[in-house]
Amino acid sequence: MNELILVLAIPLATAILLVFVGHRPQAANINIGGSLFTLLAAASLTARVVRDGPMNVLGEHFFVDPLNVFLIALTALVGFTTSVFSRPYMRVEHDHGRLSAGRLRLYHSMFQMFMCTMLVALSTNNIGILWVAMEAATLTTVLLVALYRTPESLEAAWKYFILCGVGIAQALFGTILIYFAAEQVFGHAPGAMLWTQLYAYRAELEPTVLSLAFVFMIVGYGTKTGLVPLHNWLPDAHAEGPTPVSAVLSGLLLNVALYAIIRCKALVDGALETQFAGHLMMGFGLLTVVVPAFYLSRQKDIKRLFGFSSIEHMGIITFAFGMGGGVAAYAGLLHMTVHSLTKSAIFFAVGHAAQMAGTQVIDDIKGLIRRSPTIGWGLMLGTLAILGMPPFGVFTSEFMILTTAIKYHPWATPILLAALGVAFAAMFAKVQGMAFGEPTVKPLAHNPALLPVFLHLGLVLTLGLWIPPYLDGWFRQAARMVG
């Protein structure tokens, strides 16, 4: 399985190289090249899994199937486009004196290390390695969030480290409980830590211990996902870190943490044969949809605004997977895809807009369409897409989730609709003022990287109008595994 080895080895090798040359002018190109090769390896891995089916790698400690290979491909794609965006963005930050050469080296090397840790977390078959990879992802992103070394960024990084550190500790305890339950079946054999073995014998695992383990897992990994009331780190981390970091936090890291919860849910469902895990996810998901919706209207910082939007959408996805069933799981996977693509595109546009205005304050960013039509329309179209306007893919996935809720959980539908309506009104009112009106922004000194913005939005539009048959089959296979 050389493709998976390449997927994991390329970002690690690129990170090590950038430790030594990350401050040089060609570092951005090396970052892009490493991300491109990772994407190509992920595409090759995906083709092989679609053709040959699930398979174990490296002595069963790594495993790929339709669920995680889909997320591996998505992670590699967004990682590549983010590296393309970061080239002109970080150049402007360096020219304005916000970043020294040493901090550029830290950014480039930690970006690739962050990609490596997420890919390890997604591909590992070992629940212990999953925990280690999530902890490593936390440590790398703490350094990225604190990159500017301002009092605000250091405070945001510290809050992120403390809250997510406590959350990861809860996930460790949940992991230990799963191992304790598996040890009664497997003894001290290595299979007690492997997802594939745990799934095969899940009906023999102790239900009470697994129920308790899932509570710790959803609290622990839910902190990384941004589930309310465990979300307080996320808006600050988005607002104070570099915009490329905001893009990968919203577009990738939240998905990886939620993936861990989904794996645990499938395991617990098979052992309990009840809806305990699903109901818990629905409760957290519904709360995570409602609370951020009412925070949106109070936001003055554009990146905090979209940070709360990310929390809301992770709530929608969590609710979808909590409902269970093939349709809801399919909709959840589709929503993970379109949210990652849309939100990263939005942060790309927001990053350039904030550089044009010299501030992230919403009221001080006006007239983007008149100064730079591509940035202005990219932000406006991205906002309409993330708010669920047809014919974008977010509308399709939200429609599927809502209709499933109407059929099986009608009590939740009015709550979801009310929260989505409040979020729509709050975000649209703020963003339309930024796009239109009398300009308060200046043109950028360097040409912005807008290809990733419209590439992502084009994919989201395509998924709203037509899902290619191979992608549809891919989603169906993954949905059957977790639905």
Side-chain angles (χ1 to χ4, degrees):
M1 198 58 183
N2 295 329
E3 294 91 342
L4 180 60
I5 295 174
L6 287 174
V7 166
L8 302 179
I10 290 171
L12 178 61
T14 308
I16 294 172
L17 175 61
L18 288 169
V19 167
F20 300 100
V21 301
H23 60 291
R24 296 181 180 176
Q26 64 268 31
N29 294 331
I30 296 173
N31 191 36
I32 294 172
S35 300
L36 175 59
F37 284 121
T38 303
L39 175 59
L40 294 175
S44 178
L45 174 66
T46 301
R48 182 167 180 178
V49 171
V50 170
R51 183 183 70 246
D52 300 335
M55 56 192 73
N56 293 315
V57 188
L58 299 176
E60 294 191 346
H61 286 291
F62 288 85
F63 175 78
V64 284
D65 60 17
L67 174 60
N68 63 357
V69 80
F70 142 70
L71 290 170
I72 288 170
L74 180 63
T75 299
L77 172 62
V78 176
F80 169 64
T81 54
T82 303
S83 69
V84 173
F85 158 75
S86 69
R87 179 183 176 181
Y89 179 88
M90 301 307 281
R91 185 190 305 170
V92 171
E93 296 295 275
H94 180 262
D95 290 348
H96 288 176
R98 299 192 69 192
L99 291 176
S100 64
R103 291 180 191 168
L104 281 177
R105 175 168 57 189
L106 177 65
Y107 166 77
H108 287 125
S109 58
M110 286 301 101
F111 180 89
Q112 287 295 327
M113 187 60 69
F114 178 49
M115 294 299 299
C116 179
T117 57
M118 287 192 294
L119 292 168
V120 169
L122 289 171
S123 59
T124 184
N125 191 28
N126 189 302
I127 59 175
I129 296 176
L130 169 65
W131 183 87
V132 171
M134 292 297 295
E135 178 69 7
T138 301
L139 296 177
T140 55
T141 43
V142 164
L143 296 174
L144 290 171
V145 169
L147 192 67
Y148 289 128
R149 299 295 192 274
T150 62
E152 295 80 9
S153 65
L154 292 173
E155 179 185 354
W158 182 248
K159 181 187 292 188
Y160 173 50
F161 177 72
I162 293 297
L163 291 179
C164 288
V166 171
I168 288 294
Q170 306 302 310
L172 175 61
F173 193 65
T175 302
I176 293 170
L177 287 173
I178 292 176
Y179 178 75
F180 173 74
E183 190 182 25
Q184 311 307 310
V185 178
F186 298 99
H188 294 287
M193 298 286 284
L194 302 180
W195 287 118
T196 49
Q197 295 297 318
L198 291 169
Y199 288 154
Y201 295 94
R202 60 188 182 274
E204 301 178 28
L205 302 178
E206 172 57 43
T208 305
V209 176
L210 281 187
S211 299
L212 186 59
F214 185 77
V215 173
F216 281 100
M217 286 293 201
I218 195 171
V219 171
Y221 289 128
T223 304
K224 296 283 289 184
T225 308
L227 301 182
V228 173
L230 314 165
H231 67 287
N232 291 323
W233 64 270
L234 196 151
D236 290 341
H238 279 70
E240 303 304 332
T243 301
V245 177
S246 302
V248 291
L249 279 176
S250 273
L252 300 180
L253 182 62
L254 305 186
N255 282 352
V256 176
L258 185 56
Y259 161 81
I261 297 174
I262 295 167
R263 286 288 196 196
C264 294
K265 177 184 180 293
L267 177 63
V268 173
D269 283 347
L272 271 62
E273 297 183 353
T274 67
Q275 292 298 313
F276 168 77
H279 290 161
L280 199 58
M281 289 183 69
M282 288 174 62
F284 271 106
L286 202 59
L287 186 64
T288 307
V289 174
V290 172
V291 172
F294 292 93
Y295 273 99
L296 288 170
S297 61
R298 301 171 52 188
Q299 300 310 307
K300 301 182 184 300
D301 185 292
I302 184 60
K303 290 171 69 177
R304 284 181 65 88
L305 178 78
F306 286 110
F308 275 104
S309 171
S310 295
I311 296 171
E312 180 197 21
H313 283 276
M314 296 316 292
I316 294 172
I317 299 167
T318 303
F319 180 83
F321 284 111
M323 284 193 293
V327 176
Y330 185 103
L333 292 168
L334 178 60
H335 201 81
M336 289 176 82
T337 306
V338 293
H339 173 259
S340 293
L341 294 171
T342 307
K343 190 57 62 65
S344 52
I346 288 172
F347 275 114
F348 297 160
V350 163
H352 287 315
Q355 286 183 332
M356 292 172 68
T359 179
Q360 295 176 187
V361 178
I362 295 173
D363 291 339
D364 295 337
I365 305 175
K366 303 289 183 184
L368 287 172
I369 287 179
R370 292 180 61 180
R371 280 286 186 264
S372 177
T374 49
I375 293 176
W377 280 114
L379 177 59
M380 196 70 212
L381 291 174
T383 302
L384 291 174
I386 206 64
L387 289 174
M389 287 292 288
F392 290 101
V394 179
F395 169 80
T396 304
S397 57
E398 287 184 350
F399 182 81
M400 293 175 69
I401 294 169
L402 287 170
T403 51
T404 305
I406 290 171
K407 183 174 181 180
Y408 296 107
H409 306 281
W411 57 271
T413 309
I415 302 173
L416 288 171
L417 287 172
L420 291 173
V422 170
F424 185 98
M427 290 184 62
F428 188 75
K430 291 180 180 294
V431 174
Q432 72 165 346
M434 296 173 60
F436 303 101
E438 287 299 319
T440 60
V441 297
K442 300 176 182 178
L444 289 172
H446 300 285
N447 291 328
L450 294 173
L451 179 60
V453 176
F454 292 100
L455 172 63
H456 284 203
L457 293 180
L459 291 172
V460 174
L461 178 62
T462 301
L463 291 175
L465 297 171
W466 173 67
I467 300 178
Y470 68 90
L471 187 59
D472 175 67
W474 192 2
F475 281 156
R476 288 176 184 271
Q477 291 181 54
R480 278 195 295 270
M481 296 175 57
V482 299

